[in-house]
Amino acid sequence: MGNTGRFNLIVIGGGTGGNGVARMAANAGWTVASIDSLPFGGTCALRGCDPKKMLIAVTEGVEWARNLDGKGLVAQTSVNWPDMIAFKRTFTDAMPHRIEGGLEKAGITVLHGEARFTGRDKIEVSGEVLSARHFHIATGARPMTLNIPGEELLATSTDFLALPERPDRVVFVGGGFIAMEFAHIAKRAGAREVTVLEMMERPLGNFDPDLVAILSEATADLGVDLRTEAKVLKIEKNGTGFTVAYETPTGVETVDCDLVVHATGRVPNIDHLNLEAAGVEYSRMGIKVSPFMRTTNPAIFAAGDCADSGPMLTPVSANEGRIAAKNLLAGKDEREVNYPPIPSVVFTLPQLASVGLSEAAAREEGLDFDTHFDKTAGWYSSLRVGAKHTAHKVLVEKGTGKILGAHLIGPGAEEQINLFAMAMAAGLTANQIKGLIFAYPSFASDISSMI
C-alpha cells in the first residue's frame, strides 16, 4: 500500500467495540480499514469470556456429579486438562479466520500491526503511513502494571487459558473476576493447591458483601485457599517454580507454586497509540469521550474498555460501538449512549450475579427501600441440584415498588439476573413481577419469591 493509503474510516481494534463499527461503515459504502496487532476477535472471543466459559462448562460437569453423588447419580469424574483446552480451541482457533473473512467479504481492508498516531489524521502501522477522514479506537484493555519485583514472571489470563498442562500449585494475584473464576476452574480440574491473594478485606469488592461471604465460604469448601489483606510484594523464581512474598497485617509471608497468574484487574490499552499527536485527551481511566462516543478530536471516536465510559463489559462495548457508528455515519451527534441496568456475573460455581444499586449505594442516594435477603439452600430449586451455597438480596423501593437492585448467588443466577435487568429497564414493580406466570419448576419461577 505504501504511504498513500487513504480511507474514510480506520478502526483500531478487531474486537467487539470495533468490528461492528467497521461493518456498519462499509455497508454504507465507506472505504474502511481495520487494524489489530493480535488475531482478530478481541479479548472476549479469544482470550476472555467465551473460552473461559467453555472451560467452566467442563468443570460444571464435575460440580453436578459431586452435588448429586449419592442422590441416584453414580459417576467418578475428573478433568483431562489437555482435552479441555483442545475443546476450547475448537471455538477459539476458528474465530480469527472467520472474523477476518467476514470483514474482507464486506470490503474492509484488514491489516495486522500496532497502530500509532503520527498526526490528527494519520497513523503508522508496520512502517506504513495511513490517513483517514475518521478513526474509531477500540483497543480494549490490558493487565494493569503492578510495579513489583518479579512482575515479568507473572502469567496472564491469556496464558492460563492456553496452558498445555494443568499446574499442580497455582497462585492468583488479585481477588476479582479472573482470580475467582480461574481458581474454581483450576481446583475442579484437579490442582492440588490453589491460592488467591487479595489485598483488600474481601474479594470482589463491587459485589454485595453478604453474597460475597457466601461465595467465599463455597470457595473454601472447594479447597481454594483465599487469603485477604494479602498485598503481594515480589515474585521470585525458585527452581522450576516460584515463591510469592506478600504482606499481611501480621507480617510478611510466602507461598510456593508452579504458576503465578496476574489477576489484579485491567486498564485501558492505549499507551502505544501516541494519542497526543492526534489531539485526543485521555487519563488513566481511558480515552475521554462525550456521551456520543466522540473524543476531543471531533474526527475520532472511541468505545469499549479503552474509553472512559461505561463498565468494562463486552455488551457495553458493543452498545457503545453501535452508537459511535450511528454518529459517524450521520455526520453529527445524533445518538447518545444511555446505559440501561447492566447485569454482571462472576462465573464461579456457584455463580454470583448483580444488577442495579447495592445497599450502600441506595442508602447514599437517600432512597427508602426494603431489603429482601434470604439464604435459599432449602428451596426446591437448590435441593433439586444439590446446591448448598445459594441466596438472594433484592432491594425494593418503598412506595413505588420499583426494583433498585438485585444480587443473587446460586445455580441459574446468570439467567435470573437478566430477567431482573429486563424488569428494571421496563420499570416493572415488585407487584407486577409477582403477577407474572413463569414456567415451573424453573430457576426463573423463584424470582417472584425473591421480592
Side-chain angles (χ1 to χ4, degrees):
M1 185 176 297
N3 61 359
T4 60
R6 174 82 181 174
F7 297 88
N8 295 132
L9 172 67
I10 293 178
V11 176
I12 307 173
T16 307
N19 288 340
V21 179
R23 286 178 177 274
M24 288 174 68
N27 289 340
W30 287 25
T31 56
V32 181
S34 183
I35 304 167
D36 205 315
S37 60
L38 295 171
F40 275 68
T43 297
C44 185
L46 304 181
R47 303 175 292 276
C49 327
D50 292 335
K52 168 195 72 181
K53 198 74 184 292
M54 293 188 78
L55 303 193
I56 291 169
V58 175
T59 61
E60 279 177 331
V62 174
E63 182 70 1
W64 278 80
R66 290 175 180 173
N67 286 348
L68 296 176
D69 183 41
K71 299 176 177 67
L73 179 66
V74 180
Q76 294 293 327
T77 59
S78 62
V79 173
N80 181 299
W81 187 276
D83 286 352
M84 181 171 67
I85 297 299
F87 171 58
K88 177 217 71 170
R89 291 184 61 182
T90 61
F91 176 82
T92 56
D93 284 4
M95 288 303 292
H97 177 73
R98 184 182 304 169
I99 291 171
E100 286 191 36
L103 293 174
E104 290 173 342
K105 187 176 180 179
I108 298 165
T109 300
V110 175
L111 302 172
H112 290 273
E114 190 167 277
R116 181 177 182 273
F117 282 97
T118 59
R120 294 180 68 86
D121 66 345
K122 291 182 175 62
I123 59 169
E124 182 179 344
V125 183
S126 302
E128 300 203 39
V129 177
L130 309 176
S131 62
R133 184 158 54 93
H134 293 287
F135 291 86
H136 177 69
I137 306 171
T139 49
R142 62 169 178 81
M144 68 170 58
T145 302
L146 303 182
N147 294 315
I148 59 173
E151 183 171 1
E152 70 281 359
L153 300 174
L154 286 166
T156 65
S157 57
T158 302
D159 297 329
F160 181 87
L161 289 169
L163 288 172
E165 299 288 343
R166 187 213 70 222
D168 201 34
R169 302 171 301 164
V170 192
V171 169
F172 294 94
V173 179
F177 283 82
I178 294 173
M180 297 297 285
E181 292 171 344
F182 285 9
H184 275 234
I185 291 171
K187 192 62 184 178
R188 287 190 176 88
R192 179 165 52 89
E193 297 177 11
V194 178
T195 306
V196 175
L197 300 177
E198 166 56 45
M199 67 182 296
M200 305 304 288
E201 292 183 357
R202 63 184 178 91
L204 300 166
N206 292 330
F207 286 80
D208 180 83
D210 291 321
L211 270 61
V212 169
I214 294 171
L215 177 59
S216 296
E217 180 183 342
T219 302
D221 287 352
L222 178 62
V224 174
D225 187 358
L226 175 57
R227 305 182 190 182
T228 56
E229 297 184 271
K231 181 181 179 180
V232 173
L233 302 175
K234 64 179 179 179
I235 303 158
E236 294 180 325
K237 194 82 173 80
N238 178 13
T240 59
F242 306 92
T243 298
V244 181
Y246 60 97
E247 184 179 21
T248 74
T250 58
V252 176
E253 299 182 23
T254 62
V255 57
D256 295 330
C257 59
D258 305 312
L259 181 74
V260 194
V261 180
H262 188 309
T264 58
R266 297 169 69 81
V267 295
N269 182 30
I270 57 177
D271 298 345
H272 62 287
L273 291 172
N274 192 29
L275 293 171
E276 293 86 352
V280 173
E281 294 181 16
Y282 64 94
S283 70
R284 65 181 184 85
M285 301 300 293
I287 296 171
K288 182 179 179 180
V289 291
S290 72
F292 308 95
M293 307 315 297
R294 194 185 297 271
T295 73
T296 51
N297 179 335
I300 300 177
F301 288 72
D305 295 355
C306 69
D308 185 3
S309 51
M312 285 188 175
L313 295 170
T314 297
V316 173
S317 175
N319 184 51
E320 291 179 348
R322 182 179 60 85
I323 296 300
K326 292 285 188 181
N327 292 326
L328 268 166
L329 295 175
K332 58 183 178 179
D333 291 341
E334 189 173 77
R335 302 287 186 92
E336 183 174 337
V337 174
N338 292 304
Y339 299 101
I342 301 171
S344 57
V345 181
V346 184
F347 289 104
T348 47
L349 299 174
Q351 302 156 357
L352 176 65
S354 177
V355 66
L357 297 176
S358 65
E359 279 189 287
R363 290 193 188 99
E364 286 177 7
E365 292 190 16
L367 298 172
D368 190 14
F369 61 94
D370 291 318
T371 299
H372 300 263
F373 173 47
D374 193 14
K375 295 182 179 180
T376 56
W379 285 21
Y380 171 77
S381 54
S382 297
L383 292 171
R384 182 181 69 82
V385 296
K388 301 175 183 177
H389 303 281
T390 65
H392 68 266
K393 179 182 288 187
V394 181
L395 314 182
V396 179
E397 187 174 31
K398 293 181 180 179
T400 67
K402 289 183 178 180
I403 309 299
L404 301 177
H407 312 277
L408 316 172
I409 185 170
E414 65 177 317
E415 302 300 345
Q416 290 170 327
I417 205 66
N418 287 326
L419 294 176
F420 272 109
M422 290 177 64
M424 291 168 66
L428 296 182
T429 67
N431 283 337
Q432 286 174 321
I433 295 171
K434 288 180 180 179
L436 298 174
I437 299 176
F438 293 98
Y440 179 88
S442 66
F443 290 123
S445 65
D446 284 342
I447 288 177
S448 60
S449 298
M450 297 179 179
I451 52 178

